[in-house]
Amino acid sequence: MIKLLLADDQALVRGAMAALLDMEDDLKVVAEVGRGDEVVDAALAHEADVALLDVEMPGMDGVSAARDLHRALPSCKVLMVTTFGRAGYLRQAMAAGAGGFIVKDTPARQLADAVRRVHQGLRVVDPALAAQSLAQGDSPLTDREADVLRSARDGGTVADIARELHLSDGTVRNHLSSAIGKTGARTRAEAVRLAVDNGWLLS
Amino acid sequence: MIKLLLADDQALVRGAMAALLDMEDDLKVVAEVGRGDEVVDAALAHEADVALLDVEMPGMDGVSAARDLHRALPSCKVLMVTTFGRAGYLRQAMAAGAGGFIVKDTPARQLADAVRRVHQGLRVVDPALAAQSLAQGDSPLTDREADVLRSARDGGTVADIARELHLSDGTVRNHLSSAIGKTGARTRAEAVRLAVDNGWLLS
DNA sequence: CCCGCACCGTGACATCTGTCAGGGTCTACT
DNA sequence: AGTAGACCCTGACAGATGTCACGGTGCGGG
């Protein structure tokens, strides 16, 4: 009997996936959490064998949670189950020790198999997504450029970003300009969108 | 036996919800679709009693699908099940003839009850969301302002928007300025974010 | 040690944006 | 008929933005 931990911020989806997985004879959901920072404690308390983690969660993102969990309980495999097939997410999730990565677009009947494979130590990755991730390469942004883009996400002015990051206006403009150049965008907003779509703004 | 139609673009979520609902003795999922423009046909073909619709879907948004479905098959009740509790979505969904509106944050065990209530003709609405919707009022944006904001979403320049909408640069700037003023934003990007968050950019 | 590179800052420049004041057409309502 | 409001355009202006050139600081690898 494989013991499962479910982590997803949407209670309805979480419960529905629990119902789906509990229908399998060899699987059992032993814990459900709605926040990233509750993953490790729950996994330890219930000795989970496989953890299904969403990427977008309050408290802590799923990739960071996977990293912590991999350290705290190496026997527990991780299967990332996420809405967005961002290549950057996949890359970072694998680096964080995840055993599999599937998007919520995949047919429901494949989920149980994916769990079993991850439990056996096999890697489960969407082929199309893997190809995209390989072709696209790693994030071209420096840490600071990513910081600035993150701060620019909610639409503030240069002055707002400078205040938030304790930088000079000019420095913020330089980082933005550099990020715009690297992403091939023509606008700050476009650069933000591209970086988000590629999953470059996680950590 | 209440016959259900599920519409959600994420196959995994759709299948999981089907599993959850099929566990109830009086409910049966008779059809699943992944696109908004397939809702009406599927509902007619299977004579669904209740349709669970997501708002964000390819092909056609869930609110428009609800409107069409309400016309084509008035006996079929609609329960919107969506990720984002945007007040504007709720308002437009109810105007489109939806019988209920719940977010995916709600506990899984409440879903079956919500379906039954909607089937009986009762209204099911998240109280907090209803209050927010009432307090916030309707969209202050004119059609054109919404168009311009929609076109500004992907971060293009004024010239890009003007080309896309066959308008003059100055007119676009005027609409943007007006939208910025009405939303209380200080930047185009901020105005876009606010409008999206409030669900003002649907149709 | 020296080089490259990320990082922080300054100053200057052309361009883009957001705002304002106009003036025009159309529709809907009184 | 008159009024109000959405819609489109023009022109002008201050301020914000994106770009460039430049100098300076650390840190790691060759």
Side-chain angles (χ1 to χ4, degrees), chain A residues 157-201:
Chain A
T157 66
V158 168
D160 293 336
I161 303 171
R163 212 173 311 119
E164 194 172 326
L165 266 53
H166 306 290
L167 288 178
S168 145
D169 281 21
T171 303
V172 171
R173 282 214 296 271
N174 284 339
H175 282 312
L176 279 174
S177 183
S178 172
I180 290 173
K182 286 180 179 176
T183 55
R186 275 155 41 251
T187 301
R188 177 197 321 195
E190 203 176 353
V192 168
R193 193 175 56 77
L194 286 169
V196 169
D197 284 353
N198 287 324
W200 291 338
L201 299 187

mmCIF file of all heavy atoms in Angstrom, chain A residues 157-201:
data_model
loop_
_atom_site.group_PDB
_atom_site.id
_atom_site.type_symbol
_atom_site.label_atom_id
_atom_site.label_comp_id
_atom_site.label_asym_id
_atom_site.label_seq_id
_atom_site.Cartn_x
_atom_site.Cartn_y
_atom_site.Cartn_z
ATOM 1 N N THR A 157 5.778 51.775 -10.609
ATOM 2 C CA THR A 157 6.716 52.589 -11.371
ATOM 3 C C THR A 157 8.147 52.199 -11.016
ATOM 4 O O THR A 157 8.381 51.403 -10.115
ATOM 5 C CB THR A 157 6.528 54.075 -11.051
ATOM 6 O OG1 THR A 157 6.898 54.299 -9.690
ATOM 7 C CG2 THR A 157 5.084 54.481 -11.228
ATOM 8 N N VAL A 158 9.105 52.782 -11.712
ATOM 9 C CA VAL A 158 10.508 52.545 -11.406
ATOM 10 C C VAL A 158 10.799 52.950 -9.965
ATOM 11 O O VAL A 158 11.506 52.244 -9.230
ATOM 12 C CB VAL A 158 11.409 53.328 -12.377
ATOM 13 C CG1 VAL A 158 12.844 53.316 -11.887
ATOM 14 C CG2 VAL A 158 11.327 52.754 -13.760
ATOM 15 N N ALA A 159 10.253 54.083 -9.562
ATOM 16 C CA ALA A 159 10.478 54.560 -8.191
ATOM 17 C C ALA A 159 9.971 53.543 -7.175
ATOM 18 O O ALA A 159 10.623 53.295 -6.149
ATOM 19 C CB ALA A 159 9.783 55.909 -7.998
ATOM 20 N N ASP A 160 8.819 52.945 -7.435
ATOM 21 C CA ASP A 160 8.267 51.932 -6.521
ATOM 22 C C ASP A 160 9.233 50.766 -6.378
ATOM 23 O O ASP A 160 9.520 50.306 -5.269
ATOM 24 C CB ASP A 160 6.924 51.415 -7.056
ATOM 25 C CG ASP A 160 5.846 52.487 -7.031
ATOM 26 O OD1 ASP A 160 5.980 53.426 -6.231
ATOM 27 O OD2 ASP A 160 4.886 52.383 -7.811
ATOM 28 N N ILE A 161 9.715 50.281 -7.512
ATOM 29 C CA ILE A 161 10.623 49.136 -7.502
ATOM 30 C C ILE A 161 11.906 49.497 -6.756
ATOM 31 O O ILE A 161 12.401 48.729 -5.927
ATOM 32 C CB ILE A 161 10.955 48.702 -8.949
ATOM 33 C CG1 ILE A 161 9.659 48.373 -9.688
ATOM 34 C CG2 ILE A 161 11.880 47.512 -8.955
ATOM 35 C CD1 ILE A 161 9.872 48.138 -11.170
ATOM 36 N N ALA A 162 12.428 50.679 -7.044
ATOM 37 C CA ALA A 162 13.660 51.127 -6.396
ATOM 38 C C ALA A 162 13.475 51.162 -4.880
ATOM 39 O O ALA A 162 14.339 50.700 -4.127
ATOM 40 C CB ALA A 162 14.052 52.505 -6.920
ATOM 41 N N ARG A 163 12.344 51.683 -4.428
ATOM 42 C CA ARG A 163 12.083 51.753 -2.995
ATOM 43 C C ARG A 163 12.001 50.340 -2.409
ATOM 44 O O ARG A 163 12.587 50.051 -1.376
ATOM 45 C CB ARG A 163 10.779 52.515 -2.752
ATOM 46 C CG ARG A 163 10.761 53.295 -1.458
ATOM 47 C CD ARG A 163 9.521 54.163 -1.370
ATOM 48 N NE ARG A 163 9.305 54.947 -2.586
ATOM 49 C CZ ARG A 163 8.235 54.851 -3.361
ATOM 50 N NH1 ARG A 163 7.281 53.989 -3.062
ATOM 51 N NH2 ARG A 163 8.120 55.582 -4.440
ATOM 52 N N GLU A 164 11.285 49.462 -3.104
ATOM 53 C CA GLU A 164 11.069 48.111 -2.584
ATOM 54 C C GLU A 164 12.384 47.342 -2.474
ATOM 55 O O GLU A 164 12.556 46.530 -1.570
ATOM 56 C CB GLU A 164 10.100 47.378 -3.517
ATOM 57 C CG GLU A 164 9.517 46.098 -2.937
ATOM 58 C CD GLU A 164 8.431 45.545 -3.839
ATOM 59 O OE1 GLU A 164 7.714 46.347 -4.473
ATOM 60 O OE2 GLU A 164 8.310 44.312 -3.928
ATOM 61 N N LEU A 165 13.298 47.598 -3.403
ATOM 62 C CA LEU A 165 14.548 46.828 -3.419
ATOM 63 C C LEU A 165 15.732 47.609 -2.842
ATOM 64 O O LEU A 165 16.858 47.116 -2.863
ATOM 65 C CB LEU A 165 14.866 46.412 -4.864
ATOM 66 C CG LEU A 165 14.373 45.040 -5.310
ATOM 67 C CD1 LEU A 165 12.886 44.878 -5.042
ATOM 68 C CD2 LEU A 165 14.647 44.832 -6.790
ATOM 69 N N HIS A 166 15.459 48.811 -2.351
ATOM 70 C CA HIS A 166 16.514 49.660 -1.799
ATOM 71 C C HIS A 166 17.622 49.887 -2.834
ATOM 72 O O HIS A 166 18.793 49.641 -2.575
ATOM 73 C CB HIS A 166 17.106 49.050 -0.524
ATOM 74 C CG HIS A 166 16.073 48.732 0.504
ATOM 75 N ND1 HIS A 166 15.388 49.708 1.201
ATOM 76 C CD2 HIS A 166 15.583 47.550 0.945
ATOM 77 C CE1 HIS A 166 14.540 49.134 2.034
ATOM 78 N NE2 HIS A 166 14.625 47.836 1.894
ATOM 79 N N LEU A 167 17.201 50.317 -4.003
ATOM 80 C CA LEU A 167 18.154 50.582 -5.077
ATOM 81 C C LEU A 167 17.943 52.002 -5.597
ATOM 82 O O LEU A 167 16.965 52.666 -5.257
ATOM 83 C CB LEU A 167 17.943 49.595 -6.240
ATOM 84 C CG LEU A 167 18.362 48.149 -6.013
ATOM 85 C CD1 LEU A 167 18.037 47.328 -7.235
ATOM 86 C CD2 LEU A 167 19.843 48.089 -5.699
ATOM 87 N N SER A 168 18.875 52.430 -6.434
ATOM 88 C CA SER A 168 18.702 53.711 -7.101
ATOM 89 C C SER A 168 17.792 53.542 -8.315
ATOM 90 O O SER A 168 17.694 52.461 -8.892
ATOM 91 C CB SER A 168 20.068 54.231 -7.530
ATOM 92 O OG SER A 168 19.978 54.921 -8.753
ATOM 93 N N ASP A 169 17.136 54.629 -8.695
ATOM 94 C CA ASP A 169 16.279 54.588 -9.875
ATOM 95 C C ASP A 169 17.055 54.132 -11.103
ATOM 96 O O ASP A 169 16.584 53.306 -11.886
ATOM 97 C CB ASP A 169 15.686 55.980 -10.140
ATOM 98 C CG ASP A 169 14.519 56.280 -9.222
ATOM 99 O OD1 ASP A 169 14.427 55.637 -8.159
ATOM 100 O OD2 ASP A 169 13.696 57.147 -9.567
ATOM 101 N N GLY A 170 18.220 54.691 -11.259
ATOM 102 C CA GLY A 170 19.022 54.366 -12.434
ATOM 103 C C GLY A 170 19.369 52.889 -12.499
ATOM 104 O O GLY A 170 19.311 52.269 -13.559
ATOM 105 N N THR A 171 19.730 52.325 -11.364
ATOM 106 C CA THR A 171 20.074 50.899 -11.322
ATOM 107 C C THR A 171 18.881 50.043 -11.728
ATOM 108 O O THR A 171 19.021 49.083 -12.495
ATOM 109 C CB THR A 171 20.538 50.511 -9.916
ATOM 110 O OG1 THR A 171 21.634 51.343 -9.554
ATOM 111 C CG2 THR A 171 20.961 49.066 -9.871
ATOM 112 N N VAL A 172 17.720 50.398 -11.224
ATOM 113 C CA VAL A 172 16.519 49.654 -11.600
ATOM 114 C C VAL A 172 16.299 49.751 -13.107
ATOM 115 O O VAL A 172 16.018 48.740 -13.762
ATOM 116 C CB VAL A 172 15.290 50.193 -10.839
ATOM 117 C CG1 VAL A 172 14.021 49.585 -11.394
ATOM 118 C CG2 VAL A 172 15.413 49.907 -9.362
ATOM 119 N N ARG A 173 16.455 50.926 -13.624
ATOM 120 C CA ARG A 173 16.271 51.082 -15.068
ATOM 121 C C ARG A 173 17.280 50.232 -15.838
ATOM 122 O O ARG A 173 16.962 49.629 -16.861
ATOM 123 C CB ARG A 173 16.407 52.555 -15.455
ATOM 124 C CG ARG A 173 15.169 53.348 -15.125
ATOM 125 C CD ARG A 173 14.929 54.454 -16.147
ATOM 126 N NE ARG A 173 15.983 55.439 -16.132
ATOM 127 C CZ ARG A 173 15.992 56.511 -15.352
ATOM 128 N NH1 ARG A 173 14.991 56.727 -14.540
ATOM 129 N NH2 ARG A 173 16.986 57.361 -15.395
ATOM 130 N N ASN A 174 18.520 50.203 -15.352
ATOM 131 C CA ASN A 174 19.536 49.386 -16.031
ATOM 132 C C ASN A 174 19.174 47.906 -15.990
ATOM 133 O O ASN A 174 19.257 47.209 -17.001
ATOM 134 C CB ASN A 174 20.894 49.599 -15.371
ATOM 135 C CG ASN A 174 21.503 50.938 -15.761
ATOM 136 O OD1 ASN A 174 21.129 51.508 -16.777
ATOM 137 N ND2 ASN A 174 22.410 51.428 -14.943
ATOM 138 N N HIS A 175 18.783 47.420 -14.839
ATOM 139 C CA HIS A 175 18.404 46.003 -14.739
ATOM 140 C C HIS A 175 17.222 45.707 -15.644
ATOM 141 O O HIS A 175 17.189 44.676 -16.325
ATOM 142 C CB HIS A 175 18.042 45.655 -13.287
ATOM 143 C CG HIS A 175 19.236 45.470 -12.409
ATOM 144 N ND1 HIS A 175 20.311 44.677 -12.769
ATOM 145 C CD2 HIS A 175 19.553 45.969 -11.199
ATOM 146 C CE1 HIS A 175 21.210 44.692 -11.808
ATOM 147 N NE2 HIS A 175 20.785 45.480 -10.838
ATOM 148 N N LEU A 176 16.261 46.608 -15.653
ATOM 149 C CA LEU A 176 15.098 46.400 -16.505
ATOM 150 C C LEU A 176 15.519 46.373 -17.972
ATOM 151 O O LEU A 176 15.087 45.503 -18.733
ATOM 152 C CB LEU A 176 14.072 47.516 -16.279
ATOM 153 C CG LEU A 176 13.184 47.349 -15.049
ATOM 154 C CD1 LEU A 176 12.316 48.571 -14.852
ATOM 155 C CD2 LEU A 176 12.316 46.114 -15.210
ATOM 156 N N SER A 177 16.343 47.301 -18.332
ATOM 157 C CA SER A 177 16.793 47.363 -19.723
ATOM 158 C C SER A 177 17.494 46.072 -20.110
ATOM 159 O O SER A 177 17.265 45.512 -21.187
ATOM 160 C CB SER A 177 17.734 48.558 -19.889
ATOM 161 O OG SER A 177 18.144 48.691 -21.226
ATOM 162 N N SER A 178 18.347 45.594 -19.222
ATOM 163 C CA SER A 178 19.065 44.351 -19.487
ATOM 164 C C SER A 178 18.101 43.169 -19.625
ATOM 165 O O SER A 178 18.240 42.344 -20.528
ATOM 166 C CB SER A 178 20.056 44.109 -18.349
ATOM 167 O OG SER A 178 20.618 42.837 -18.479
ATOM 168 N N ALA A 179 17.128 43.118 -18.743
ATOM 169 C CA ALA A 179 16.155 42.022 -18.791
ATOM 170 C C ALA A 179 15.330 42.091 -20.067
ATOM 171 O O ALA A 179 15.041 41.069 -20.695
ATOM 172 C CB ALA A 179 15.243 42.086 -17.568
ATOM 173 N N ILE A 180 14.963 43.301 -20.458
ATOM 174 C CA ILE A 180 14.203 43.479 -21.698
ATOM 175 C C ILE A 180 15.029 42.979 -22.884
ATOM 176 O O ILE A 180 14.521 42.270 -23.754
ATOM 177 C CB ILE A 180 13.822 44.964 -21.877
ATOM 178 C CG1 ILE A 180 12.769 45.365 -20.839
ATOM 179 C CG2 ILE A 180 13.304 45.225 -23.279
ATOM 180 C CD1 ILE A 180 12.462 46.843 -20.824
ATOM 181 N N GLY A 181 16.306 43.324 -22.874
ATOM 182 C CA GLY A 181 17.171 42.863 -23.949
ATOM 183 C C GLY A 181 17.291 41.353 -23.993
ATOM 184 O O GLY A 181 17.136 40.742 -25.040
ATOM 185 N N LYS A 182 17.519 40.746 -22.843
ATOM 186 C CA LYS A 182 17.722 39.294 -22.798
ATOM 187 C C LYS A 182 16.482 38.515 -23.180
ATOM 188 O O LYS A 182 16.572 37.437 -23.773
ATOM 189 C CB LYS A 182 18.160 38.891 -21.388
ATOM 190 C CG LYS A 182 19.600 39.253 -21.064
ATOM 191 C CD LYS A 182 19.963 38.823 -19.654
ATOM 192 C CE LYS A 182 21.413 39.170 -19.328
ATOM 193 N NZ LYS A 182 21.731 38.826 -17.921
ATOM 194 N N THR A 183 15.317 39.018 -22.799
ATOM 195 C CA THR A 183 14.087 38.288 -23.100
ATOM 196 C C THR A 183 13.602 38.553 -24.517
ATOM 197 O O THR A 183 12.680 37.887 -24.981
ATOM 198 C CB THR A 183 12.969 38.677 -22.117
ATOM 199 O OG1 THR A 183 12.816 40.102 -22.161
ATOM 200 C CG2 THR A 183 13.296 38.257 -20.709
ATOM 201 N N GLY A 184 14.214 39.548 -25.177
ATOM 202 C CA GLY A 184 13.756 39.873 -26.512
ATOM 203 C C GLY A 184 12.467 40.664 -26.507
ATOM 204 O O GLY A 184 11.807 40.785 -27.535
ATOM 205 N N ALA A 185 12.112 41.199 -25.379
ATOM 206 C CA ALA A 185 10.879 41.985 -25.280
ATOM 207 C C ALA A 185 11.124 43.420 -25.718
ATOM 208 O O ALA A 185 12.260 43.812 -25.987
ATOM 209 C CB ALA A 185 10.361 41.958 -23.847
ATOM 210 N N ARG A 186 10.042 44.174 -25.833
ATOM 211 C CA ARG A 186 10.181 45.563 -26.228
ATOM 212 C C ARG A 186 9.629 46.475 -25.147
ATOM 213 O O ARG A 186 9.646 47.695 -25.292
ATOM 214 C CB ARG A 186 9.452 45.809 -27.537
ATOM 215 C CG ARG A 186 10.311 45.463 -28.749
ATOM 216 C CD ARG A 186 9.508 45.128 -29.969
ATOM 217 N NE ARG A 186 8.374 45.982 -30.167
ATOM 218 C CZ ARG A 186 7.115 45.580 -29.999
ATOM 219 N NH1 ARG A 186 6.849 44.354 -29.637
ATOM 220 N NH2 ARG A 186 6.133 46.405 -30.203
ATOM 221 N N THR A 187 9.146 45.881 -24.075
ATOM 222 C CA THR A 187 8.519 46.638 -23.006
ATOM 223 C C THR A 187 8.772 45.916 -21.702
ATOM 224 O O THR A 187 8.942 44.696 -21.671
ATOM 225 C CB THR A 187 7.000 46.711 -23.229
ATOM 226 O OG1 THR A 187 6.759 47.326 -24.481
ATOM 227 C CG2 THR A 187 6.318 47.476 -22.134
ATOM 228 N N ARG A 188 8.755 46.661 -20.643
ATOM 229 C CA ARG A 188 8.896 46.044 -19.334
ATOM 230 C C ARG A 188 7.794 45.012 -19.099
ATOM 231 O O ARG A 188 8.055 43.894 -18.653
ATOM 232 C CB ARG A 188 8.787 47.152 -18.278
ATOM 233 C CG ARG A 188 8.839 46.677 -16.886
ATOM 234 C CD ARG A 188 8.331 47.739 -15.964
ATOM 235 N NE ARG A 188 8.767 49.074 -16.377
ATOM 236 C CZ ARG A 188 8.698 50.115 -15.590
ATOM 237 N NH1 ARG A 188 8.259 49.978 -14.367
ATOM 238 N NH2 ARG A 188 9.064 51.289 -16.035
ATOM 239 N N ALA A 189 6.561 45.389 -19.436
ATOM 240 C CA ALA A 189 5.435 44.485 -19.202
ATOM 241 C C ALA A 189 5.588 43.188 -19.994
ATOM 242 O O ALA A 189 5.292 42.100 -19.499
ATOM 243 C CB ALA A 189 4.129 45.184 -19.576
ATOM 244 N N GLU A 190 6.068 43.327 -21.213
ATOM 245 C CA GLU A 190 6.261 42.140 -22.050
ATOM 246 C C GLU A 190 7.343 41.244 -21.451
ATOM 247 O O GLU A 190 7.212 40.017 -21.427
ATOM 248 C CB GLU A 190 6.652 42.577 -23.465
ATOM 249 C CG GLU A 190 6.365 41.553 -24.539
ATOM 250 C CD GLU A 190 6.698 42.113 -25.929
ATOM 251 O OE1 GLU A 190 7.016 43.311 -26.026
ATOM 252 O OE2 GLU A 190 6.653 41.345 -26.887
ATOM 253 N N ALA A 191 8.401 41.870 -20.965
ATOM 254 C CA ALA A 191 9.475 41.100 -20.340
ATOM 255 C C ALA A 191 8.951 40.333 -19.136
ATOM 256 O O ALA A 191 9.278 39.161 -18.931
ATOM 257 C CB ALA A 191 10.617 42.029 -19.931
ATOM 258 N N VAL A 192 8.113 40.983 -18.346
ATOM 259 C CA VAL A 192 7.525 40.326 -17.180
ATOM 260 C C VAL A 192 6.713 39.114 -17.625
ATOM 261 O O VAL A 192 6.846 38.021 -17.078
ATOM 262 C CB VAL A 192 6.628 41.307 -16.393
ATOM 263 C CG1 VAL A 192 5.788 40.563 -15.380
ATOM 264 C CG2 VAL A 192 7.476 42.371 -15.713
ATOM 265 N N ARG A 193 5.895 39.324 -18.656
ATOM 266 C CA ARG A 193 5.039 38.237 -19.127
ATOM 267 C C ARG A 193 5.871 37.049 -19.620
ATOM 268 O O ARG A 193 5.609 35.898 -19.266
ATOM 269 C CB ARG A 193 4.147 38.751 -20.254
ATOM 270 C CG ARG A 193 3.010 37.832 -20.621
ATOM 271 C CD ARG A 193 2.106 38.469 -21.653
ATOM 272 N NE ARG A 193 2.831 38.883 -22.853
ATOM 273 C CZ ARG A 193 3.227 38.053 -23.805
ATOM 274 N NH1 ARG A 193 2.988 36.765 -23.685
ATOM 275 N NH2 ARG A 193 3.870 38.500 -24.862
ATOM 276 N N LEU A 194 6.898 37.336 -20.395
ATOM 277 C CA LEU A 194 7.741 36.269 -20.911
ATOM 278 C C LEU A 194 8.433 35.513 -19.776
ATOM 279 O O LEU A 194 8.486 34.288 -19.773
ATOM 280 C CB LEU A 194 8.787 36.856 -21.863
ATOM 281 C CG LEU A 194 8.241 37.279 -23.226
ATOM 282 C CD1 LEU A 194 9.272 38.081 -23.989
ATOM 283 C CD2 LEU A 194 7.828 36.051 -24.019
ATOM 284 N N ALA A 195 8.959 36.270 -18.823
ATOM 285 C CA ALA A 195 9.669 35.630 -17.713
ATOM 286 C C ALA A 195 8.726 34.754 -16.902
ATOM 287 O O ALA A 195 9.081 33.642 -16.503
ATOM 288 C CB ALA A 195 10.314 36.692 -16.827
ATOM 289 N N VAL A 196 7.511 35.232 -16.683
ATOM 290 C CA VAL A 196 6.535 34.431 -15.938
ATOM 291 C C VAL A 196 6.190 33.172 -16.719
ATOM 292 O O VAL A 196 6.172 32.061 -16.171
ATOM 293 C CB VAL A 196 5.270 35.254 -15.650
ATOM 294 C CG1 VAL A 196 4.161 34.363 -15.135
ATOM 295 C CG2 VAL A 196 5.574 36.358 -14.649
ATOM 296 N N ASP A 197 5.914 33.340 -18.007
ATOM 297 C CA ASP A 197 5.519 32.204 -18.838
ATOM 298 C C ASP A 197 6.599 31.130 -18.879
ATOM 299 O O ASP A 197 6.299 29.947 -19.015
ATOM 300 C CB ASP A 197 5.212 32.661 -20.268
ATOM 301 C CG ASP A 197 3.869 33.362 -20.356
ATOM 302 O OD1 ASP A 197 3.154 33.350 -19.343
ATOM 303 O OD2 ASP A 197 3.546 33.910 -21.416
ATOM 304 N N ASN A 198 7.852 31.547 -18.781
ATOM 305 C CA ASN A 198 8.936 30.581 -18.847
ATOM 306 C C ASN A 198 9.317 30.029 -17.480
ATOM 307 O O ASN A 198 10.204 29.183 -17.377
ATOM 308 C CB ASN A 198 10.155 31.213 -19.510
ATOM 309 C CG ASN A 198 9.967 31.383 -21.001
ATOM 310 O OD1 ASN A 198 9.351 30.540 -21.635
ATOM 311 N ND2 ASN A 198 10.465 32.465 -21.555
ATOM 312 N N GLY A 199 8.663 30.536 -16.443
ATOM 313 C CA GLY A 199 8.958 30.034 -15.098
ATOM 314 C C GLY A 199 10.302 30.489 -14.577
ATOM 315 O O GLY A 199 10.966 29.761 -13.847
ATOM 316 N N TRP A 200 10.691 31.709 -14.919
ATOM 317 C CA TRP A 200 11.994 32.208 -14.500
ATOM 318 C C TRP A 200 11.930 33.036 -13.230
ATOM 319 O O TRP A 200 12.952 33.541 -12.780
ATOM 320 C CB TRP A 200 12.608 33.065 -15.616
ATOM 321 C CG TRP A 200 13.020 32.270 -16.827
ATOM 322 C CD1 TRP A 200 13.288 30.930 -16.866
ATOM 323 C CD2 TRP A 200 13.230 32.762 -18.153
ATOM 324 N NE1 TRP A 200 13.636 30.567 -18.130
ATOM 325 C CE2 TRP A 200 13.621 31.666 -18.948
ATOM 326 C CE3 TRP A 200 13.128 34.014 -18.737
ATOM 327 C CZ2 TRP A 200 13.900 31.784 -20.307
ATOM 328 C CZ3 TRP A 200 13.415 34.140 -20.082
ATOM 329 C CH2 TRP A 200 13.800 33.031 -20.864
ATOM 330 N N LEU A 201 10.765 33.199 -12.674
ATOM 331 C CA LEU A 201 10.644 34.094 -11.514
ATOM 332 C C LEU A 201 10.282 33.348 -10.235
ATOM 333 O O LEU A 201 9.684 33.917 -9.334
ATOM 334 C CB LEU A 201 9.593 35.178 -11.794
ATOM 335 C CG LEU A 201 9.867 36.102 -12.971
ATOM 336 C CD1 LEU A 201 8.853 37.216 -13.024
ATOM 337 C CD2 LEU A 201 11.270 36.665 -12.888
#
